[in-house]
């Protein structure tokens, strides 16, 4: 048996040695945001990925939080800081047109390409694993 076993779910492959492997890697690289607001006051979406809540929890090592936003309905999300210190939020709205897709958001004034590259590297993803990304525009 190889040291790493691929587990194919949705559109991404998660590589792991044990159930804690992904959580430990993510926790080492992403720290929970201390504040619920963006540094510059607003965000922008940079990509979308189809993944379940359970897969996102395994990938990030964080429990998916949920709540209700007036006018948008129920949301599920995780958030934190990338190793570069950039804020990130991965969120989905259950009442949206794509309720199974999480949107990756960053601060409005960050460089989209550099942060997207960091996110892809951190999660071991390729652009092809994403449903949509800002590089496709």
């Amino acid at each position: 048996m190889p040291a790493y076993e691929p587990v194919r779910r949705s559109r991404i492959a998660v590589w792991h040695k044990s159930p804690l492997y992904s959580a430990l890697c993510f926790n080492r690289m992403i720290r929970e945001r201390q504040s619920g607001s963006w540094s510059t006051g607003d965000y922008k979406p940079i990509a979308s990925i189809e993944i379940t809540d359970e897969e996102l929890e395994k990938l990030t090592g964080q429990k998916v939080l949920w709540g209700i936003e007036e006018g948008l309905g129920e949301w599920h999300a995780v958030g934190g800081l990338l190793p570069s210190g950039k804020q990130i939020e991965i969120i989905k709205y259950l009442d949206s047109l794509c309720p199974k897709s999480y949107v990756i958001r960053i601060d409005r004034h960050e460089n989209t390409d550099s942060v997207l590259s960091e996110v892809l590297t951190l999660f071991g993803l390729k652009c092809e694993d994403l449903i949509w990304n800002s590089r496709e525009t």
Side-chain angles (χ1 to χ4, degrees):
M1 181 185 318
Y4 294 89
E5 299 175 323
V7 177
R8 175 64 66 185
R9 293 194 181 120
S10 299
R11 299 183 66 184
I12 66 168
V14 179
W15 293 86
H16 62 88
K17 289 183 181 178
S18 72
L20 294 176
Y21 179 73
S22 294
L24 292 173
C25 287
F26 192 78
N27 285 338
R28 184 180 40 184
M29 293 185 257
I30 292 189
R31 301 172 305 281
E32 189 174 332
R33 283 198 300 165
Q34 298 299 314
S35 164
S37 63
W38 296 95
S39 299
T40 59
D42 201 6
Y43 66 87
K44 62 182 170 185
I46 62 168
S48 179
I49 186 167
E50 187 174 312
I51 186 171
T52 67
D53 291 355
E54 294 78 20
E55 291 169 326
L56 185 60
E57 287 179 349
K58 285 182 183 179
L59 191 64
T60 64
Q62 293 185 22
K63 290 298 262 181
V64 171
L65 303 176
W66 64 274
I68 297 175
E69 188 169 341
E70 189 174 329
L72 295 173
E74 185 176 348
W75 55 264
H76 293 188
V78 298
L81 297 176
L82 296 169
S84 64
K86 310 290 191 262
Q87 290 177 309
I88 182 176
E89 180 179 60
I90 305 171
I91 188 168
K92 72 176 176 182
Y93 289 92
L94 279 72
D95 293 334
S96 73
L97 294 175
C98 301
K100 295 182 180 181
S101 299
Y102 274 91
V103 175
I104 301 170
R105 297 175 173 173
I106 63 171
D107 192 85
R108 166 87 43 211
H109 296 292
E110 295 297 345
N111 180 292
T112 301
D113 287 341
S114 67
V115 178
L116 182 56
S117 292
E118 185 175 4
V119 168
L120 293 173
T121 300
L122 181 67
F123 289 116
L125 299 172
K126 298 177 185 167
C127 282
E128 298 81 36
D129 297 320
L130 304 172
I131 295 170
W132 167 88
N133 72 77
S134 58
R135 291 182 178 162
E136 295 176 343
T137 59

